[in-house]
Amino acid sequence: MNDVPVLIVGGGPVGMILALELGRRNVSCLLLEETDRSPAVPRASSFSARSMEHFRKLGIAGRIRSSGLPADYPTDVSYRTRICGPELHRIALPSSARILAAAGSGHSGPTAEPQHRISQLYVEPILLERSRDFPHVRIERGSKLEGFEETDHGVRAFVRSATTGETRTVTADHLVGCDGGGSTVRKTLGIELTGDETVLQAITAFYRVPQLAELVSPPAWMTWSVNGEVLCVTVAVDGRDHWLIHAFYPAGTDTSGVDAGALLTQAIGRPTPHEVLGIERWAGRRLVADRYSSERVFLAGDSAHLWVPMAGMGMNIGIDEAMHLAWMLAAVHQGWAGPDLLAAYEAERRPVAEAVSGFATGIGKGLLDLVSAEVNEEDSTAGIASRQRLGREVAVADSGQFTPMGLSFGYHYHGSPLIAADRRPPEFSVAEYHPSITAGARLPHLVLEDGTPIYDRLGRDFTLLRIGDQAPDPEPVVRAASACGVPLQVLELLSPAAIERYRSPLLLVRPDQYVAWHGAAIPESPRDLIDRVRGAGVPTRNAGVGISVKVP
Ligand SMILES: Cc1cc2nc3c(=O)[nH]c(=O)nc-3n(C[C@H](O)[C@H](O)[C@H](O)COP(=O)(O)OP(=O)(O)OC[C@H]3O[C@@H](n4cnc5c(N)ncnc54)[C@H](O)[C@@H]3O)c2cc1C
């Protein structure tokens, strides 16, 4: 017997979400994090609608929405020559309070939990606090994974304590590397990252600038400075005095001499009293791991893929992977998974990383053209005309980045061995999301008659929706699931809105809210259906989910 069912390496957002979801599913796990998780520079500022849906499941969406920027702070994106200079273009976006009010008002919206702008800085303490509510979750900070070996019964990991320097051995049934871009887990498995090594160079600096809230006027969540001297974006962290600047340079630029104070002056257009809280120099890449797993070891988050943060999806895709892997690992540990379930993790998720990384990298490369843009900052007719031209270029270069509903919800698992054969779901498109009940697509959102979003009523594992009073008796599917130990809940929906929305009398929904099958009648062999969705049907290796992303 091993020490722990699941050993997680890395306590960044992805590792923490994996731990929480395993905890919610009553699967014991130990998370090792080598640091105290107080990085000098917070990175992510944008949590996708899909991540917010996961946070709702984990019981923390409300807490996250009420932290960070004030609820009435607009999430506009403004493009200027400099913060104190003229505006080139503005994408007007609502405050989080307005976004949430609009989401709750109708049946047809795509989600009850729209995307939310908040710094990782505020989210991580909430994740840690929530982990204490799950008795199956143990978080160990100051513990570093030094290496591991796979055994006949699991994994033997070698762990060093940062305080005593002592090394101990921990055995686990499964190990998940959520240990970031330099992943020890990935390297130990001998898995290569392939793609584009350097798309761009960048600097991220974190500041306290008491006067900046007055200068960013009208207020904006992000303000780009495009002036031929620097290309950077200033991000409001708390709506008051804390700000982040991400500055971008062509690949190959040596950024070691760039000073954070000088960068702030270039962004604002004049020297402003400030305190530099941290600075990080990094390279923007597009790299995806060749494999996501071995028999008992898996990768999730930055250990599996790295790409430029345009569209803010690196962490969000990692969070979705963690939730995905959690239900699959829980199925194994609870004894109802088929032999091919875990292998489907890579088959379903790797194509998503490939597609999204391609989209983000395209935006990154397009924006780099603005580094050397000719910008006439004069207050003259020629200056105004040239800035109008630049505004139009900026609008094209950066289109689709900030309202990516399609990016959040449009990817699908058509072609996965866990998904029943069906026609192809709508094309994965960045800008638009087309709700679909096609097998392999995310179950479309619906607000039930009592005002509850449907996702709140789904079971923790599989749910069979029986829609309309003419729908067949689902008993044969329930019996087949029960025979395999697959937890399945039946949810009856009788409202005209549900019939209109789902247009199918029976719909089998997976633990990750994706449609596994739908039909008008009970399938010929309910057992074959259940075997397929639990990974005991068709062998998984090399089965392919083929998606590519359509950009605006
Ligand atoms: C400037 C910038 C802005 C970004 N903005 C966004 C955004 O808005 N939205 C978005 O989705 N993404 C964004 N990203 C990407 C995002 O930051 C990453 O995708 C995300 O942090 C990945 O999370 P992770 O948990 O996989 O890895 P990490 O955050 O890198 O965490 C890995 C953890 O593992 C620990 N670790 C490593 N090795 C070991 C070991 N051997 N033993 C124990 N612990 C170990 C590390 O200490 C670390 O805490 C941004 C990235 C950058 C650079």
Side-chain angles (χ1 to χ4, degrees), residues 12-151:
V14 175
M16 285 300 294
I17 292 295
L18 177 60
L20 293 184
E21 181 61 0
L22 287 172
R24 194 178 74 95
R25 293 176 174 279
N26 301 322
V27 177
S28 293
C29 60
L30 169 64
L31 181 150
L32 306 174
E33 165 57 49
E34 69 173 305
T35 71
D36 64 358
R37 281 302 295 173
S38 45
V41 174
R43 292 178 175 178
S45 307
S46 189
F47 286 76
S48 70
R50 182 78 179 140
S51 291
M52 292 307 297
E53 286 183 346
H54 293 322
F55 292 161
R56 184 183 182 102
K57 247 202 250 184
L58 292 167
I60 50 177
R63 246 182 288 171
I64 287 177
R65 281 200 193 277
S66 57
S67 310
L69 288 170
D72 61 355
Y73 197 89
T75 59
D76 288 11
V77 180
S78 167
Y79 301 81
R80 295 177 170 273
T81 55
R82 304 182 192 263
I83 287 172
C84 291
E87 187 162 83
L88 305 166
H89 177 61
R90 176 174 282 253
I91 304 175
L93 295 166
S95 65
S96 70
R98 274 188 45 211
I99 293 173
L100 201 55
S105 65
H107 284 208
S108 58
T111 181
E113 292 289 351
Q115 69 181 353
H116 184 53
R117 310 299 191 190
I118 181 173
S119 168
Q120 200 174 338
L121 187 71
Y122 299 108
V123 173
E124 292 207 16
I126 296 173
L127 302 183
L128 184 62
E129 194 187 321
R130 184 69 174 127
S131 72
R132 299 192 182 110
D133 298 333
F134 295 108
H136 292 85
V137 175
R138 203 147 51 92
I139 310 282
E140 218 178 84
R141 287 187 168 174
S143 290
K144 178 178 183 179
L145 177 93
E146 298 222 300
F148 65 87
E149 56 196 24
E150 292 188 67
T151 66

Side-chain angles (χ1 to χ4, degrees), residues 45 75-79 220-224 233-236 246 402:
S45 307
T75 59
D76 288 11
V77 180
S78 167
Y79 301 81
W221 164 62
M222 277 190 160
T223 307
W224 285 86
V233 60
T234 304
V235 186
H246 308 300
F402 295 105

Side-chain angles (χ1 to χ4, degrees), residues 159-183:
V159 181
R160 181 178 291 276
S161 158
T163 35
T164 65
E166 279 170 18
T167 302
R168 74 184 206 272
T169 300
V170 179
T171 58
D173 299 341
H174 293 99
L175 183 148
V176 187
C178 304
D179 49 346
S183 175

